[in-house]
Amino acid sequence: MPDLSRRRRLLVLAICCMSLLIVSLDNTVLNVALPSMQRELHASVSGMQWTIDAYTLVLASLLMLSGSTADRLGRRRVFTAGLVVFAFGSLLCSLAPDLGWLVVFRMVQAVGGSMLNPVAMSIITNTFTDPRERARAIGVWGGVVGISMAAGPVIGGLLVQNVGWRSIFWINVPIGALALFLTLRYVPESRAPRPRRVDPVGQLLVITLLGSLTYAIIEAPSTGWASAEILGFVMVALVSLVTLIGYERRRREPLIDLRFFHSAPFAGATVIAVCAFAALGGFLFVNTLYLQNIRGLSALDAGLYMIPMAGMTLVCAPLSGRLVAGRGPRLPLLLAGCAMALSGALLAAFNTESGTGLLLTGYVLFGIGFGLVNAPITNTAVSGMPRSQAGVAAAVASTSRQVGQSLGVAVFGAVLAGGAHFGASRPEFLAAAHPAWWIIVGCGGAIFLLGALTTGRWARTTAEHTAALFEDGTAPDHSRARAGS
C-alpha cells in the first residue's frame, strides 16, 4: 500500500468505520425489534435466537476465509463486494414473508458482513503503520461500536414504533451505498506479499463445528439435553474440532494457522473476545425481552433504557484505545473484567422489588466493561504479527467475537427457555434469567484473569517468538510447531 497523507489516512479510517457501523448497528437495532418480530411472525424464543445466530454463525464461519481472500485478491476489491452483498441482504430481510425466509436472508447478509470488518481492520493495519497511531485508530474503530450501541436502540425503537420492524433493515442500504462510493474513490488497493491458498476442508470443518454446536445448545431445551438428536450434534461438533486441529496442524497453508496461538497475548485476546461478546450477546438478548415483554415498555422506551450502557461504551472505547497506546493492554483489560463481573453480580441481585436505579447501574457498569475490552482485543491480535498476516490475524479476532456472540445468544436463550416463554410473569422471567447474570460474572472474571496472565513480560516474549516464526517462513507442521512452543 502506498504512503498516504495524514488526511487520506483519516479518510480511509472513516470509510472503514462506516462498514463497522452498519454491521454493528444492524445487531443493536435488531435486538430492539425482537419482540415485535416475535409477535408478528409467531416465533418462539428459539426462533428469535436463530434470527441472530444464523447471522453470527455464517459470519464467524466465513471471516477467516474472507480475510485470506482479501489478502490474495485485494482488500479493496473484497471490501466493496462485501458492501454490495450486505446491502442486498438487508433489502431481502425487509421483504421476508416469514421467519424461515428471514433466517435465510440474514445468512445472505452475513456473507457480505464477513467481507467487511476483518478486511477493514486489515486495511487500517496496513494504512496506520506506526504502532501508537495504529492503536489510536483502533480506539476510534472501537468507539464506532459504542456509537452503534448508543444510536441503535433509539433508531431501532423509533423505526419499530412508527414504521415497523422491517424498516430496521432499510437503513443499511443508503449507508452501504455511500461507503461503496467513498471506497472506490479513496481507498487504495493492497494485497499480502505472499497470500495463502484456499483451505476448503478446513472451511467445511469450521462450518460444521460452529453450526452443530450452536444447534445443540439452542434446540436442547425443547428437544431434551439427553435426546439422541442433541447428543448426535454434540458428537459431530467434537469430531469436527478434533479433525480440524489435526488437519490444520499438517497443512502448510491452513485456514487457521495454529502458530498464531503460540503467542500468549494473541491466544488470550481470542478467549477474551469470546467471553466479552458472549456476555454482550446474552446481555442484549435477555434485556430486550425483559424490557418489552415483561415490563411492557415500547420499543422506543426500551431503547432509551439501554442508553446508559451504550453511552459508557461510547465514552470508554476511545479512552481504552489511548490507554493501550500509552500503557499497553493490561489496565483496560483488568478494569473491563472487574466492571463486567460487578455488572453481572448487580443484575443477579435484581428482583421484583428492586428499583430501576439498580438495573441502570448494572447497565452502566456493563457499558464501561465492554467499552474498555474491545480495543485491547483488536490491538493485541494484530500488533504482534507481521503486516503480511494482518488480514488473517484480524479475521481470527473478528471470528472470536462472532463465535462469542453466537454462543452467548444460544446459551442465554437456552437458560431462559425453561421459564421465560412468551407470556411469562415477571417473577418467572427473573428467576429464569438469574443464572444468565452469573454467566456474565464468570465472563468478567475470565477477562480479568486472562488480562493479568497474557500481558506481562513472558507473554510479550511468546509474541516475539511467534512473529519470528512467520518471518522465518517456518512451516506449520506438527514437529516444528511443538519445537517452537
Side-chain angles (χ1 to χ4, degrees):
M1 178 179 288
D3 290 334
L4 305 177
S5 65
R6 175 175 172 78
R7 182 177 179 181
R8 182 77 174 271
R9 291 197 303 272
L10 292 177
L11 182 58
V12 170
L13 175 62
I15 295 168
C16 291
C17 285
M18 288 179 69
S19 73
L20 177 62
L21 179 63
I22 58 176
V23 174
S24 300
L25 198 63
D26 188 74
N27 282 332
T28 54
V29 169
L30 179 65
N31 272 279
V32 175
L34 284 178
S36 296
M37 296 165 63
Q38 184 180 30
R39 287 189 292 270
E40 181 175 327
L41 301 176
H42 307 290
S44 61
V45 171
S46 64
M48 292 298 94
Q49 288 173 272
W50 280 118
T51 63
I52 298 174
D53 273 1
Y55 177 85
T56 53
L57 278 174
V58 173
L59 201 63
S61 299
L62 298 181
L63 281 171
M64 287 175 287
L65 175 63
S66 296
S68 59
T69 301
D71 285 344
R72 172 178 291 276
L73 299 182
R75 296 177 180 117
R76 188 180 73 166
R77 179 180 297 178
V78 173
F79 186 71
T80 54
L83 288 170
V84 172
V85 175
F86 187 85
F88 180 65
S90 299
L91 184 61
L92 290 177
C93 287
S94 70
L95 303 174
D98 55 40
L99 181 64
W101 280 110
L102 178 61
V103 170
V104 171
F105 294 151
R106 288 280 289 164
M107 295 170 73
V108 174
Q109 255 193 319
V111 173
S114 71
M115 304 179 199
L116 296 180
N117 288 0
V119 180
M121 177 52 62
S122 182
I123 292 172
I124 291 173
T125 303
N126 283 270
T127 301
F128 295 89
T129 55
D130 178 73
R132 289 181 178 272
E133 192 178 33
R134 178 193 296 158
R136 287 192 292 269
I138 292 173
V140 174
W141 167 269
V144 173
V145 178
I147 294 173
S148 71
M149 285 189 172
V154 178
I155 294 173
L158 285 169
L159 289 173
V160 171
Q161 191 163 311
N162 295 294
V163 184
W165 65 264
R166 296 178 186 277
S167 63
I168 66 173
F169 296 105
W170 298 344
I171 59 177
N172 296 328
V173 177
I175 298 177
L178 177 60
L180 177 63
F181 169 77
L182 294 175
T183 300
L184 293 173
R185 185 173 179 84
Y186 295 108
V187 176
E189 186 60 279
S190 64
R191 295 178 177 84
R194 291 183 299 173
R196 298 173 308 131
R197 295 178 180 177
V198 176
D199 180 8
V201 175
Q203 183 66 59
L204 180 61
L205 288 171
V206 168
I207 294 173
T208 304
L209 167 61
L210 296 178
S212 57
L213 178 61
T214 304
Y215 181 90
I217 295 173
I218 290 179
E219 298 299 332
S222 60
T223 307
W225 288 97
S227 68
E229 179 183 352
I230 298 304
L231 291 177
F233 275 98
V234 171
M235 185 59 65
V236 169
L238 289 175
V239 171
S240 299
L241 176 61
V242 173
T243 306
L244 178 67
I245 293 174
Y247 177 79
E248 296 296 278
R249 285 173 68 87
R250 294 191 301 271
R251 186 174 170 83
R252 180 166 293 277
E253 294 184 351
L255 177 70
I256 305 174
D257 197 325
L258 299 181
R259 291 178 297 173
F260 282 131
F261 295 94
H262 293 175
S263 166
F266 182 87
T270 301
V271 179
I272 287 171
V274 172
C275 292
F277 278 77
L280 174 67
F283 177 91
L284 293 176
F285 186 81
V286 174
N287 277 289
T288 297
L289 295 178
Y290 169 70
L291 292 173
Q292 295 188 55
N293 287 353
I294 306 303
R295 297 194 69 160
L297 298 179
S298 67
L300 177 58
D301 288 340
L304 293 174
Y305 260 73
M306 301 298 288
I307 285 181
M309 183 273 288
M312 294 312 300
T313 300
L314 177 62
V315 170
C316 292
L319 173 62
S320 178
R322 287 193 290 271
L323 285 173
V324 172
R327 302 185 59 178
R330 176 180 287 243
L331 180 60
L333 286 176
L334 297 181
L335 292 174
C338 287
M340 277 194 174
L342 185 55
S343 169
L346 282 179
L347 293 172
F350 191 80
N351 55 48
T352 55
E353 298 178 358
S354 301
T356 302
L358 179 62
L359 185 70
L360 295 181
T361 301
Y363 289 2
V364 166
L365 286 169
F366 190 91
I368 292 172
F370 187 75
L372 289 172
V373 80
N374 209 24
I377 292 171
T378 305
N379 184 267
T380 304
V382 300
S383 61
M385 301 296 167
R387 289 174 61 188
S388 62
Q389 298 295 325
V392 182
V396 173
S398 296
T399 298
S400 302
R401 291 179 172 89
Q402 299 304 326
V403 169
Q405 192 161 355
S406 296
L407 293 177
V409 172
V411 171
F412 281 60
V415 167
L416 283 179
H421 53 85
F422 189 76
S425 66
R426 185 172 178 179
E428 288 174 334
F429 187 98
L430 292 176
H434 195 261
W437 306 131
W438 287 110
I439 294 174
I440 291 181
V441 174
C443 289
I447 291 170
F448 180 91
L449 181 61
L450 289 169
L453 290 176
T454 63
T455 55
R457 181 179 302 175
W458 164 79
R460 288 193 296 271
T461 301
T462 65
E464 293 169 359
H465 179 73
T466 301
L469 290 178
F470 287 97
E471 291 169 358
D472 294 341
T474 305
D477 60 68
H478 181 80
S479 60
R480 292 187 182 184
R482 182 171 53 202
S485 315

